[in-house]
Amino acid sequence: VAPAGGLGARLAALAARVVGDLGVVRSRVAPEYPPEWGALRVYARGYHRALAQQVRALAQRPLDVGEMYLLLDWHSNAYPR
């Protein structure tokens, strides 16, 4: 994620990237593997780990109260979707 923009922009970019990339995996990559391999699940798990690292890095920097609430709201409401 590019460093430009505030926390909200960075979280929105992360979410858009994950949704877009997993859409490509679902439509183009996963069909190339045998169904029993669960390719989409494997890719989703990898994306979840990478996303967790990115969010952890964002959360470890000094945040003001508004940014803390934004991060918590994104984690609780936007990310699960």
Side-chain angles (χ1 to χ4, degrees):
V1 175
L7 181 60
R10 295 176 89 173
L11 292 171
L14 282 170
R17 174 61 53 147
V18 169
V19 169
D21 287 355
L22 289 178
V24 171
V25 169
R26 175 180 283 153
S27 65
R28 296 185 184 161
V29 177
E32 300 300 319
Y33 291 96
E36 62 271 12
W37 287 15
L40 180 60
R41 186 176 57 250
V42 171
Y43 276 88
R45 197 175 312 131
Y47 266 86
H48 176 73
R49 280 193 299 269
L51 185 62
Q53 290 174 346
Q54 290 292 317
V55 172
R56 189 177 307 116
L58 290 172
Q60 289 181 354
R61 67 182 184 83
L63 299 172
D64 62 35
V65 172
E67 290 177 319
M68 282 189 268
Y69 278 110
L70 178 64
L71 186 59
L72 289 170
D73 178 63
W74 184 85
H75 177 268
S76 297
N77 298 312
Y79 177 67
R81 283 184 255 143

